[in-house]
Amino acid sequence: MYCRNCGEKLSLRFCENEGLVPYCNRCENYMFPQFSVAVSMVVVNRAQDKILLAKHAEDEDFILFAGYVKKGENAEKTVPREIKEELGLDVVKAKYMSSRYYQPKDILMLNFLVVVEENRPIKLNEEIAEARWCTPEEALQLIRKGTTAEQFLSNAIKELKRKI
Ligand SMILES: [Zn+2]
């Protein structure tokens, strides 16, 4: 482990309430491990009876729309920005649902249920090969199984029955 500021090799030092934490002797600072934050979005129409799923060109399965939170941005801003970038649609409202830490890539995923305005045709950006409106039942069939996205989707569907 090396310092992200100066490149010095880090050593472990005891930090109160934290235990052993990587420490840079040159910067004289603790270097807490970093992780990314992203939003995962269950996109629904205004009537809240259809869910929009995404598919990448190289994949068979469908996934949820997602995007990284930019440095300095709050997650409530990330949601409409990503929906605009990926779909060209406006967000009517968004509700925070829950979060999960994705260990393999060190990403904290924040899940939102997002209602979009459908008065415009979808304009996909190049990252996404297909976007498909599905009933909740179809969405559960199409989503990649055993994933965080599947869990977020099934929670969102329970929430939709109450309307957000
Ligand atoms: Zn350093």
Side-chain angles (χ1 to χ4, degrees):
M1 255 185 309
Y2 296 89
C3 176
R4 56 182 175 266
N5 289 335
C6 72
E8 183 88 356
K9 204 170 185 335
L10 300 176
S11 52
L12 289 174
R13 183 182 280 209
F14 187 79
C15 178
E16 209 178 339
N17 300 325
E18 297 288 346
L20 288 173
V21 175
Y23 184 85
C24 178
N25 286 309
R26 196 186 289 174
C27 298
E28 298 182 334
N29 237 331
Y30 289 102
M31 291 291 153
F32 286 90
Q34 287 191 315
F35 58 93
S36 305
V37 182
V39 294
S40 153
M41 297 167 286
V42 178
V43 177
V44 300
N45 60 345
R46 260 190 189 273
Q48 300 183 25
D49 58 0
K50 289 268 164 67
I51 295 167
L52 191 63
L53 294 184
K55 194 170 106 46
H56 289 163
E58 65 275 18
D59 293 333
E60 286 295 308
D61 303 325
F62 281 77
I63 53 173
L64 296 176
F65 289 90
Y68 286 101
V69 176
K70 286 185 177 175
K71 188 172 176 173
E73 183 179 60
N74 58 40
E76 293 84 350
K77 288 270 165 57
T78 310
V79 169
R81 179 179 57 72
E82 284 289 332
I83 294 293
K84 197 79 179 173
E85 283 174 16
E86 296 192 355
L87 293 164
L89 297 178
D90 292 320
V91 170
V92 178
K93 58 183 167 177
K95 181 181 181 181
Y96 170 71
M97 296 291 289
S98 65
S99 66
R100 280 191 80 187
Y101 194 88
Y102 184 60
Q103 207 83 49
K105 288 188 173 175
D106 276 315
I107 307 173
L108 176 65
M109 300 291 295
L110 310 177
N111 179 234
F112 285 83
L113 185 49
V114 183
V115 179
V116 295
E117 190 65 77
E118 308 138 86
N119 57 3
R120 252 183 277 193
I122 291 173
K123 282 200 308 264
L124 290 180
N125 76 4
E126 65 287 349
E127 288 169 37
I128 296 154
E130 188 187 340
R132 190 187 295 180
W133 285 110
C134 320
T135 64
E137 296 72 31
E138 287 166 344
L140 281 172
Q141 291 286 320
L142 290 171
I143 197 83
R144 189 175 297 162
K145 299 298 177 295
T147 57
T148 300
E150 185 187 22
Q151 292 211 343
F152 284 155
L153 178 65
S154 82
N155 285 341
I157 289 170
K158 283 178 208 143
E159 184 73 15
L160 285 173
K161 292 190 175 134
R162 297 194 285 265
K163 296 259 175 178
I164 69 164

